[in-house]
Amino acid sequence: MGYHDPRGHPRLRTAIAHHLARYRRISVHPDHVQIVSGTAQALALLAQVLHQDGIDTIALEDPGSLGVRQHLHHARLHTPPLGVDEHGARTQDLAATGAPAVLLTPAHQFPTGTVLSGPRRRHLLTWARQGGLVIEDDYDAEHRYDRAPVPALHSLLPDQVCYTGSISKLLAPALRLGWILAPARHRNRLTEAKRFSDLGSPVLLQLVLAHLMENGALERHLRTLRARHRKRRDTLIRALATHLPHAHVHGAAAGLHLTLTFSTPLDDTALARAALARGVRTHPLSWHRQRPGPPGLVLGYAAATGIPEAVAALGRALAHTQST
């Protein structure tokens, strides 16, 4: 219970290395795993290291996570937008952003749910081999229903890809546990930044997570989650077809949320407010955009109850918004 290695307890680092090898095809030595307090701290520590290298710009998917953008802005980083379409991030436009680094959610793009296509993955890796740094947020990689997982980018080019993951979507965000696999040139400075940040993540929680990984409990829990979330997703899709039949649904094959877009002009922020007034919390898609785009909503279903009733209320909110 004393101060420990700021990289994390070796038992957890070993368990994570085995977990990533099994589920994400990543071969990594436990000594190269850095334990952090979730993806938020991962970004904060990386920002410190990148500033030391003279990097103050990271391209971000657009639409992309508002929370990630806020964290990077807080860390004094510029975030030029990189467009997203049905094939994932438009990596062919990376050079035009002028950014030396890019942050992507290639396995399940937030919020659209697309997977980075093969041609674009190859283009991205070519760009990285020429000196670009890729920060891979392996968002929702474990939660798959209708498609096989794609290999992590880190497994293909570890010297140019910084991989981040966490247990926020597996167990609970409040546990504040995640990990970074950084290129060799960044590891020591990343560990130093972690040490001066908090002297290391709480050891007791690390040992509990290591135990769950080692004895198979986490894997059994994940199987239970997949079955439960698939049912909730299917219920949500059926309800949307009934109450919002003209909305376009994106990202159903994986993850813990669906994204809706609308062909007709409307204020999605006003729609989200109208839904909240009826007891339904959503994210307007415009929150996650840096540039204008089609209106929409992001609907999480992992912890949702009363889904048909909630979607019926959302349909009433849409009718109210369109009539005002």
Side-chain angles (χ1 to χ4, degrees):
M1 289 292 108
Y3 293 114
H4 222 279
D5 187 335
R7 291 176 300 174
H9 195 284
R11 186 173 162 190
L12 178 59
R13 287 189 278 120
T14 299
I16 288 173
H18 292 160
H19 176 83
L20 293 175
R22 179 168 184 175
Y23 289 102
R24 303 302 293 128
R25 306 185 196 177
I26 293 175
S27 177
V28 61
H29 193 280
D31 286 348
H32 300 163
V33 177
Q34 171 70 61
I35 305 301
V36 292
S37 298
T39 302
Q41 187 182 46
L43 296 178
L45 299 179
L46 282 171
Q48 293 182 42
V49 172
L50 295 182
H51 276 302
Q52 293 170 12
D53 289 342
I55 294 176
D56 65 357
T57 303
I58 299 178
L60 282 187
E61 298 162 325
D62 187 30
S65 169
L66 170 64
V68 166
R69 181 162 27 110
Q70 290 173 331
H71 278 291
L72 294 181
H73 288 176
H74 182 73
R76 299 177 292 110
L77 289 164
H78 305 292
T79 58
L82 182 67
V84 174
D85 58 26
E86 67 272 18
H87 302 294
R90 293 179 55 83
T91 55
Q92 64 270 33
D93 297 338
L94 263 173
T97 70
V102 61
L103 194 155
L104 300 174
T105 50
H108 184 247
Q109 200 275 332
F110 181 87
T112 68
T114 59
V115 175
L116 191 64
S117 69
R120 292 191 181 176
R121 287 165 68 91
R122 290 190 290 272
H123 187 280
L124 174 68
L125 294 176
T126 298
W127 174 85
R129 289 188 183 99
Q130 295 169 352
L133 177 68
V134 178
I135 302 171
E136 179 179 17
D137 181 355
D138 209 16
Y139 181 82
D140 276 354
E142 304 92 347
H143 301 284
R144 308 220 164 272
Y145 316 116
D146 302 326
R147 66 176 182 231
V150 294
L153 295 172
H154 187 275
S155 68
L156 304 173
L157 193 62
D159 289 340
Q160 292 301 124
V161 177
C162 187
Y163 177 97
T164 69
S166 81
I167 60 167
S168 292
K169 302 296 189 298
L170 276 176
L171 292 176
L175 294 177
R176 309 310 308 140
L177 277 179
W179 47 86
I180 311 177
L181 312 181
R185 64 187 180 279
H186 296 317
R187 286 181 201 137
N188 289 340
R189 286 181 294 153
L190 194 63
T191 301
E192 182 182 62
K194 173 66 175 173
R195 180 167 71 90
F196 284 111
S197 174
D198 57 16
L199 296 179
S201 297
V203 172
L204 183 58
L205 287 178
Q206 293 185 60
L207 292 175
V208 170
L209 179 58
H211 178 70
L212 295 177
M213 287 181 160
E214 291 163 352
N215 69 10
L218 190 67
E219 183 176 353
R220 293 190 296 272
H221 176 65
L222 179 55
R223 288 199 297 267
T224 300
L225 285 183
R226 284 195 185 119
R228 179 191 305 160
H229 293 154
R230 182 194 291 269
K231 290 179 180 177
R232 291 179 177 174
R233 178 207 63 173
D234 293 346
T235 300
L236 178 56
I237 290 174
R238 288 193 297 268
L240 289 170
T242 300
H243 298 287
L244 288 89
H246 302 297
H248 305 287
V249 179
H250 309 270
L256 303 177
H257 74 276
L258 297 177
T259 295
L260 305 183
T261 56
F262 303 95
S263 300
T264 55
L266 62 87
D267 183 343
D268 58 12
T269 303
L271 174 56
R273 282 198 302 267
L276 185 59
R278 291 161 173 80
V280 182
R281 186 181 299 275
T282 69
H283 277 198
L285 185 56
S286 58
W287 280 6
H288 301 288
R289 293 191 185 278
Q290 298 192 65
R291 299 176 294 192
L297 294 175
V298 181
L299 309 178
Y301 55 81
T305 58
I307 289 175
E309 296 79 9
V311 176
L314 182 58
R316 294 191 293 273
L318 177 61
H320 171 78
T321 304
Q322 290 176 326
S323 66
T324 58

